[in-house]
Amino acid sequence: MFLITCPVTGTDELVAERRIRSVVNHPTHIALHVECPCGELHVYRTGRRWTAAAQRRTADADRALVGV
Ligand SMILES: [Zn+2]
């Protein structure tokens, strides 16, 4: 079991591994296609490089906000 946040309902959903429809390994991240209890298929991207890139994007956005 693992926890996802549904982008449709905005709620946290506990889903079983069998709900994973596919796992695609990209150079920068892993894309999980998960069948959500809401009935839709959502894509979740994860992985160390994806997290690092997301942190850089957030830092860049923060710098843009303060004008540094
Ligand atoms: Zn959903």
Side-chain angles (χ1 to χ4, degrees):
M1 302 288 278
F2 60 102
L3 196 67
I4 61 170
T5 301
C6 174
V8 175
T9 64
T11 55
D12 292 333
E13 301 282 358
L14 202 56
V15 294
E17 279 78 5
R18 65 184 162 82
R19 296 281 189 171
I20 299 173
R21 286 290 165 258
S22 65
V23 179
V24 184
N25 204 354
H26 294 279
T28 52
H29 62 279
I30 296 166
L32 290 176
H33 296 78
V34 181
E35 193 183 290
C36 182
C38 81
E40 292 196 22
L41 201 66
H42 305 312
V43 182
Y44 293 92
R45 295 171 212 284
T46 186
R48 192 161 40 90
R49 290 180 191 165
W50 183 259
T51 305
Q55 285 167 350
R56 279 198 299 275
R57 284 191 296 272
T58 302
D60 289 347
D62 289 346
R63 277 194 293 277
L65 280 174
V66 295
V68 176

